[in-house]
Amino acid sequence: AGLWLERGAKGIEVVDAVAGGPAAAAGIKAGDVIVAVNGKAWSSTSLAAIRNELKSAPGTKVRLKLGSGGEKVVTLRDLI
């Protein structure tokens, strides 16, 4: 997905979104806070499990709910 993530006090914090990557194309940017992945609250999901969701098969759509209240859909692709 092209994201660097860290667990923070309010959710999973986006440290960086790789330019040209699927997450950046979906509008995810550094500083965003992810509070749910595919409907699962960040507080009940390990960071490793969230990273695995973002490494699913190419073409998989992953829904990211942001702390700002918005939701973004990231379509995964092969590593280049």
Side-chain angles (χ1 to χ4, degrees):
L3 286 174
W4 290 95
L5 304 171
E6 288 184 357
R7 184 175 284 277
K10 296 180 182 178
I12 303 300
E13 297 176 5
V14 177
V15 176
D16 191 23
V18 177
I28 305 289
K29 59 190 179 314
D32 282 342
V33 177
I34 300 168
V35 297
V37 177
N38 287 332
K40 297 177 209 160
W42 74 276
S43 57
S44 62
T45 308
S46 71
L47 184 56
I50 289 171
R51 286 181 174 146
N52 283 337
E53 291 266 353
L54 295 169
K55 293 179 184 175
S56 296
T60 301
K61 294 188 184 305
V62 179
R63 289 180 300 119
L64 303 177
K65 184 174 182 182
L66 304 179
S68 62
E71 185 172 281
K72 305 286 184 175
V73 177
V74 177
T75 302
L76 303 180
R77 64 177 195 211
D78 273 329
L79 296 175
I80 334 180

